[in-house]
Amino acid sequence: MSMGGQSHEYRPLTTLTRGQLEWDLGRCSGLIRTNLDPQDLWPFSYPYGKTDSFNSEVVGVLRRMGFHCALCTERGGNVPGADVFAIRRMHGNQITSAAVQ
């Protein structure tokens, strides 16, 4: 199990100014690294999670802050080579028994 970030003030990240974005994600990153045991990878989940809640500027700041991937709430599969800063999710009932064998 890994713990990760989801911002500090839980606001849609694409609505923030560059300064607000840097402060919010910096605060989030600092708090989790100060208060949690070290991890090999630090994931991030976008507040609200839809594809309009993140963009290349947000991803750039996340990378600089040391996050390794990010999850959105869009449904769908992920294939090798897919953007690790736009990981989609599958609901449990979307997974067939053949997919887990």
Side-chain angles (χ1 to χ4, degrees):
M1 177 179 284
S2 292
M3 299 296 290
Q6 196 172 26
S7 82
H8 184 66
E9 294 185 337
Y10 201 80
R11 299 188 310 175
L13 300 177
T14 54
T15 67
L16 304 180
T17 67
R18 180 62 179 233
Q20 291 170 325
L21 183 62
E22 295 273 349
W23 180 87
D24 189 278
L25 296 180
R27 181 86 172 131
C28 171
S29 178
L31 285 170
I32 64 174
R33 291 166 200 277
T34 298
N35 294 295
L36 299 175
D37 289 335
Q39 299 178 172
D40 291 335
L41 301 173
W42 291 99
F44 187 85
S45 290
Y46 297 109
Y48 306 100
K50 296 298 179 191
T51 53
D52 64 352
S53 65
F54 62 97
N55 58 25
S56 60
E57 180 180 19
V58 171
V59 170
V61 174
L62 288 172
R63 287 180 189 275
R64 224 175 43 265
M65 298 285 171
F67 288 100
H68 296 92
C69 61
L71 298 98
C72 65
T73 58
E74 299 288 349
R75 287 187 174 188
N78 299 287
V79 296
D83 183 359
V84 296
F85 282 87
I87 297 173
R88 294 178 173 267
R89 300 178 186 206
M90 272 193 160
H91 192 278
N93 66 6
Q94 290 178 297
I95 303 170
T96 64
S97 59
V100 294
Q101 292 180 359

